[in-house]
Amino acid sequence: MTVQVPAWLLEWTLVILLATVILLTLVIVGARVARAQTAQRHARAMLPARRLLIAVAAGEDDDGAAARTLADLPPDGRPMVDQAIVQMLSKVSGAPARALVEVLRSHGRDRWAREGLTSRSSVRRAHAAWTLGLMRDAQELPALVPLLSDRSADVRITAARAVGMIGDAAATSAVLAAVPPVAGRTGLPLWVSTEALISLGHEADPALRVALGDTRWEIRLAAATVVTHVPVYAALRDLRERIDQEPVPTVRAELCLGLGQIGGAADVPLLGARLGDAETPVRLAAARALGHLADGQAVHWLEPALADEVVQVAEAAAIALSQVGPKGRAVLTERAEAGSRVAAYGTILDQLQRNRPIPALGGGPADG
């Protein structure tokens, strides 16, 4: 059955839709105009203070007059200045940063931040943690550490970065403990925990070494990643002991990379054995680590890896052979002339890196 819609109903529907569109357009335009006007008012109000802030941040306030003027601002002018200082503190350091922090303290911004750590708003908690981190006062660590297990992922990440900015190794265990998921909540992302732990300095090394043997693989991975990137030479023995015991391939691969960074000739057999690992990431990491060690005895293990079934591993072995010296390059040339595409790739890449002429290679059967 066909239903007839009255013409007047269609007309009124179109009118209502048109009016709604016009109203929404006016609201959007009005909001943008209001924001622009507010920004202009703030810019005009900030103009005198901005000159003072720039003088302090640039280290040109030798007599401290600009900082004292900022500290003595009336209460209604402080919030905008405080926001500007927080933005500046992520870009300045040394004496200028300390002077800006003192201005924040004189305005009571540190008290504001401490109170915000327990706010019901996750945005407020994150802002508070970030502010305290920028102020870089180790005395604030006891208040910040609980936020590493906050119910909000954004707050947890911000708290970890704030702890890293403070740079006190006393927080090492707390940061590591926040890495694994707990009670259905995700843990700290690896890049966040690595950034924070590296910022804590070498005083964190003992805790990192202990963490390499932790029962939770996420903590072992975080510790191994830091040891690889810093690097932590005191952990060399720990890496050697853990590499064959580690059951998780991702962690085992990171241990290989760490050994390549801080190990030596004695570690070539240990890494060479990992080229036979069942897991691709481990073989790939072992090949790269052997290249970093640049020891000629690695040729014995790297040459067979040119035929690895995973092309990325074979290419990594070819690159490593080019890094271990003349013996490795000779193997590449021989295999390339026999038709190995992977070896040819390693030879050509080596010649390009050393600004040498690219040799003419043979065209026998390819092995990968």
Side-chain angles (χ1 to χ4, degrees):
M1 183 178 65
T2 303
V3 177
Q4 295 292 332
V5 180
W8 64 268
L9 181 58
L10 292 175
E11 292 174 357
W12 274 105
T13 301
L14 290 174
V15 169
I16 292 171
L17 288 174
L18 181 60
T20 302
V21 170
I22 293 173
L23 180 61
L24 289 174
T25 302
L26 291 174
V27 169
I28 293 172
V29 171
R32 290 181 177 176
V33 170
R35 283 198 299 269
Q37 291 176 342
T38 300
Q40 290 175 355
R41 286 197 304 271
H42 286 177
R44 286 194 296 269
M46 276 289 296
L47 190 58
R50 186 174 297 278
R51 297 193 186 98
L52 299 172
L53 285 171
I54 292 174
V56 176
E60 298 174 354
D61 184 30
D62 296 332
D63 59 358
R68 287 193 297 273
T69 302
L70 290 169
D72 293 336
L73 286 174
D76 59 345
R78 293 177 178 179
M80 287 188 295
V81 170
D82 291 348
Q83 291 175 15
I85 291 176
V86 168
Q87 293 174 356
M88 287 181 168
L89 281 174
S90 61
K91 304 177 181 67
V92 299
S93 59
R98 290 192 293 271
L100 290 173
V101 168
E102 287 307 313
V103 173
L104 287 180
R105 293 189 188 283
S106 68
H107 293 175
R109 197 68 174 178
D110 53 339
R111 294 191 299 274
W112 173 90
R114 288 189 214 101
E115 292 170 358
L117 294 178
T118 56
S119 170
R120 297 179 62 182
S121 167
S122 61
V123 174
R124 175 82 164 85
R125 295 197 303 277
H127 191 184
W130 186 251
T131 300
L132 289 177
L134 288 170
M135 296 178 79
R136 293 175 168 83
D137 186 349
Q139 293 183 354
E140 307 294 350
L141 271 181
L144 277 172
V145 164
L147 268 67
L148 292 170
S149 56
D150 192 272
R151 60 182 179 275
S152 166
D154 291 336
V155 175
R156 295 197 297 274
I157 291 173
T158 305
R161 300 190 68 190
V163 166
M165 285 188 288
I166 291 174
D168 191 323
T172 306
S173 298
V175 174
L176 287 166
V179 173
V182 178
R185 292 198 305 264
T186 58
L188 289 178
L190 183 61
W191 71 269
V192 175
S193 60
T194 301
E195 177 188 79
L197 290 167
I198 289 175
S199 299
L200 301 182
H202 282 292
E203 291 183 357
D205 291 356
L208 290 171
R209 293 180 61 188
V210 172
L212 288 171
D214 197 275
T215 57
R216 292 157 292 185
W217 71 267
E218 297 93 345
I219 290 180
R220 298 198 303 275
L221 177 60
T225 304
V226 175
V227 168
T228 298
H229 286 81
V230 174
V232 180
Y233 290 97
L236 179 56
R237 180 178 177 181
D238 304 278
L239 294 179
R240 289 169 173 166
E241 292 177 351
R242 287 294 313 169
I243 200 166
D244 285 330
Q245 303 173 16
E246 177 55 53
V248 179
T250 306
V251 183
R252 200 156 65 244
E254 199 63 43
L255 292 172
C256 287
L257 292 174
L259 205 55
Q261 290 294 333
I262 65 178
D267 300 301
V268 170
L270 189 58
L271 288 169
R274 295 270 62 84
L275 286 172
D277 199 283
E279 300 294 335
T280 298
V282 180
R283 299 199 305 278
L284 183 61
R288 290 173 175 170
L290 287 169
H292 292 155
L293 290 181
D295 189 278
Q297 65 173 316
V299 172
H300 172 73
W301 286 275
L302 288 170
E303 185 176 1
L306 291 173
D308 195 282
E309 60 184 8
V310 178
V311 67
Q312 289 86 351
V313 176
E315 289 176 349
I319 294 172
L321 280 168
S322 73
Q323 294 171 326
V324 300
K327 188 176 179 181
R329 296 190 188 102
V331 168
L332 283 178
T333 300
E334 180 184 347
R335 295 289 295 271
E337 289 177 348
S340 168
R341 295 176 183 174
V342 171
Y345 164 79
T347 300
I348 292 171
L349 188 61
D350 175 60
Q351 297 297 324
L352 289 172
Q353 290 176 338
R354 295 194 296 149
N355 292 320
R356 300 284 184 86
I358 298 176
L361 302 172
D367 63 3

